[in-house]
Amino acid sequence: MADPYDLIIIGGGPGGYNCAIRAGQLGLKTAIIEDRGKLGGTCLNVGCIPSKALLHASEVFDAAKNHMASLGVVAKDVSIDLKQMMQQKDDAVEGLTKGVEFLMKKNKVDYVKGRGAIAAPGQVDVVNGAARRLEARNIVIATGSAPADLPGVKIDEQQIVSSTGALALPEIPKRLVVIGAGYIGLELGSVWRRLGSEVTVVEFLDRITPTMDGEISSQFLRILKKQGLTFELGMKVVAIEKKSGELAIVIEPSKGGEQRTIKADIALVAIGRKPVTDAGIAKLGVKTDKRGFIETDHWRTNVQGVWAIGDCTPGPMLAHKAEEEGIAAAQLIAGNWGHVNYDVIPGVVYTAPEVASVGRTEEELKAAGIAYKVGKFPFLANSRARTNHAADGMVKVLEEESTKRVVGAHMMGPGVGEIIGEVCVAMEFGAAAEDIARTCHAHPTMAEALREAAKGVDGWTMQA
Ligand code: FAD
Ligand code: NAI
């Protein structure tokens, strides 16, 4: 038997591959096992990247068709070449997954293709046709997540699709019903709406994006409705019947009441994701919580030498959270520091406009009895946003009164997915709103809206 590895990682998504790269950099003898044939996980292959490729392409189409004329740019006979749109998406994915494979080589990480299962502490079986056993001092489980099931509804990825099917539809559906008004439902619902589908979003709760700031969420709903999406809030799907080529989607008020049927060509089930935890962990006695996520203490499971990171563990199911945890776990395994600040993990919905948030919401601060000050600024009063005809939305900054620290920021508007990074840095440095307010920002930029909201915390915003 060859020398054991210092570290074997099961799963090649953002958690796993970032863990592998850092481990390689720190000189650990490392292998990463992945069974989808490509590195990059959900994020690169069927998640973050392909969805952003379609979001971007559909926004360009929408701008050319509906908005450029107001800027004096006349685009005639604008049409969609769906095959090419899908091809450029696939090309982006292909290029980036190859890039991750290159990074494994560069950092001397062995990329093992196949399905990994932990046989015993320190031992991992890899099945790829034949099975072989690898040994390691440490094992990191980074097996990610899969779409959650809607009881009684079978996803066939043709007519009833998960996000994976919705990213590869061969035709633009005339009628698309989206089940779940979260990240996936609103991003992919927006894509197909812009490309011409009639989109109806059915949401169990009486609001969209339930974990986000309430004020931003209701402004967001108003804008999505203006863009032509239809919402059935406070409704649940009871059944989906296939009838002569179309879908009959039976919905009923979440609190009980009369049923109705909506007709659709395609239904997208986007009601959350569930952890993937079938890499031998039950046999090993690795503890999971009630919802099936692997429990950890600083990414260590209850089994000596077995670690877990990313979507298969509790917390936000986001690529950058998985990445942070992967790096921290590699650091600890190498005997270094390992740190993730769970109070500063941004979330961005990449619709147009984007919605971004970090830290605590007003609702959470109120519920915790924490006194806070708030500053707000609308993009309508931001010169760059006005000039670019993109003035929907606002920025909100929250500062805790007792510590004078920024504890949250919530925004909707052009490019806020980038602007939120500035708040993350400020929060990591323990900044007060005044620190952001007194930092010179270039003019005219969208980021000035953040500065003005920060000024608003102490009452000196420049709003007209
Ligand atoms: P994953 O990326 O799920 O990777 C796990 C990998 O492990 C998979 O490749 C799987 O094949 C492999 N695997 C599982 N079991 C085994 C086994 N036994 N042996 C070998 N390999 C195994 N997040 C963002 O932050 N920003 C976004 O814009 C964003 N957009 C998204 C869009 C969509 C449509 C979806 C579905 C998700 C999106 N996410 C986004 C979420 C993001 O994709 C996940 O949070 C992230 O991929 C989690 O990383 P991970 O490494 O924990 O798991
Ligand atoms: P989600 O958790 O974001 O939203 C699910 C929505 O479905 C919620 O609003 C919930 O109330 C609703 N819901 C649950 N059960 C329902 C039912 N039976 N009927 C109707 N509505 C129901 O989950 P989503 O959109 O599936 O995405 C999964 C995860 O993937 C996200 O939580 C996020 O972590 C990640 N993601 C991140 C993106 C980003 O960062 N931009 C983009 C896409 C996904």
Side-chain angles (χ1 to χ4, degrees):
M1 179 83 66
D3 264 1
Y5 285 100
D6 293 314
L7 169 61
I8 290 178
I9 298 152
I10 307 178
Y17 76 72
N18 280 288
C19 183
I21 291 168
R22 190 69 194 121
Q25 289 170 343
L26 292 166
L28 299 180
K29 186 180 175 204
T30 306
I32 187 163
I33 306 172
E34 169 58 58
D35 78 338
R36 75 166 68 228
K38 283 180 183 175
L39 291 171
T42 302
C43 178
L44 252 66
N45 291 285
V46 289
C48 327
I49 298 302
S51 59
K52 269 75 247 177
L54 292 186
L55 280 156
H56 176 67
S58 64
E59 274 179 44
V60 172
F61 169 71
D62 184 51
K65 191 152 186 269
N66 301 316
H67 307 297
M68 272 170 26
S70 69
L71 301 171
V73 180
V74 182
K76 286 201 173 128
D77 302 326
V78 179
S79 61
I80 297 161
D81 177 348
L82 190 63
K83 218 169 144 210
Q84 172 57 23
M85 203 179 274
M86 291 295 170
Q87 189 59 52
Q88 60 86 30
K89 171 205 69 167
D90 295 342
D91 291 346
V93 169
E94 185 66 17
L96 289 167
T97 53
K98 288 234 172 77
V100 176
E101 203 168 324
F102 166 76
L103 287 173
M104 293 304 119
K105 282 199 189 108
K106 188 174 167 220
N107 291 289
K108 300 189 173 53
V109 174
D110 289 344
Y111 167 27
V112 180
K113 290 188 180 174
R115 188 142 196 90
I118 308 175
Q123 300 188 333
V124 183
D125 288 338
V126 185
V127 180
N128 181 3
R132 64 177 163 135
R133 181 159 291 181
L134 302 176
E135 300 207 331
R137 292 180 188 89
N138 292 279
I139 298 166
V140 170
I141 305 168
T143 45
S145 64
D149 305 306
L150 184 59
V153 173
K154 189 169 163 21
I155 291 174
D156 58 21
E157 295 298 10
Q158 304 290 322
Q159 248 192 315
I160 304 177
V161 298
S162 72
S163 51
T164 302
L167 287 166
L169 296 178
E171 283 170 21
I172 299 164
K174 188 165 172 326
R175 298 158 304 175
L176 171 69
V177 164
V178 174
I179 307 164
Y183 282 80
I184 292 177
L186 299 180
E187 287 189 359
L188 295 183
S190 296
V191 164
W192 292 107
R193 173 69 203 119
R194 281 194 285 265
L195 297 183
S197 302
E198 289 164 22
V199 176
T200 305
V201 183
V202 181
E203 165 60 48
F204 186 83
L205 300 174
D206 56 10
R207 56 170 289 188
I208 64 169
T209 52
T211 54
M212 288 196 174
D213 178 272
E215 187 179 8
I216 299 277
S217 168
S218 48
Q219 282 200 17
F220 187 27
L221 176 63
R222 209 164 49 237
I223 282 173
L224 291 171
K225 282 184 178 169
K226 228 166 69 183
Q227 293 176 0
L229 285 95
T230 304
F231 287 86
E232 294 282 0
L233 299 182
M235 299 296 277
K236 65 180 178 195
V237 170
V238 183
I240 303 184
E241 291 151 19
K242 289 185 184 174
K243 278 187 193 158
S244 23
E246 64 175 14
L247 300 173
I249 298 168
V250 185
I251 60 171
E252 155 186 312
S254 311
K255 292 174 186 145
E258 209 168 301
Q259 294 187 348
R260 274 189 291 129
T261 298
I262 322 175
K263 298 281 176 60
D265 304 297
I266 300 283
L268 161 60
V269 180
I271 57 163
R273 293 179 61 85
K274 60 183 180 194
V276 171
T277 54
D278 57 359
I281 72 154
K283 209 173 75 186
L284 201 66
V286 172
K287 268 198 199 145
T288 54
D289 67 15
K290 271 189 270 171
R291 293 159 62 221
F293 291 90
I294 300 173
E295 285 182 352
T296 63
D297 178 3
H298 290 83
W299 319 291
R300 288 181 176 87
T301 71
N302 59 311
V303 177
Q304 175 75 24
V306 178
W307 307 65
I309 57 167
D311 273 14
C312 63
T313 63
M317 298 173 104
L318 295 171
H320 39 281
K321 178 258 192 187
E323 171 183 345
E324 289 298 297
E325 292 182 337
I327 291 169
Q331 292 273 132
L332 289 180
I333 290 167
N336 250 303
W337 56 264
H339 164 83
V340 177
N341 182 355
Y342 289 98
D343 290 335
V344 186
I345 296 187
V348 179
V349 189
Y350 296 89
T351 42
E354 291 178 347
V355 179
S357 66
V358 64
R360 308 180 82 169
T361 60
E362 285 199 70
E363 291 84 349
E364 285 168 348
L365 291 169
K366 277 182 194 144
I370 296 172
Y372 65 93
K373 292 205 280 186
V374 54
K376 297 181 194 178
F377 195 77
F379 275 103
L380 204 59
N382 172 278
S383 56
R384 189 67 183 279
R386 289 278 292 260
T387 310
N388 288 5
H389 301 197
D392 281 331
M394 64 175 285
V395 178
K396 179 191 276 194
V397 173
L398 304 172
E399 184 186 82
E400 187 176 18
E401 277 194 11
S402 63
T403 58
K404 238 188 159 315
R405 285 186 172 204
V406 174
V407 288
H410 307 278
M411 43 187 93
M412 175 174 67
V416 294
E418 304 292 337
I419 298 173
I420 200 76
E422 186 181 329
V423 184
C424 296
V425 174
M427 285 175 72
E428 285 290 0
F429 280 51
E434 190 181 345
D435 293 313
I436 301 175
R438 290 176 57 180
T439 301
C440 182
H441 284 63
H443 175 77
T445 57
M446 311 289 186
E448 285 176 293
L450 168 64
R451 184 187 189 194
E452 291 302 326
K455 282 182 180 174
V457 168
D458 292 317
W460 55 294
T461 189
M462 294 293 178
Q463 192 176 339

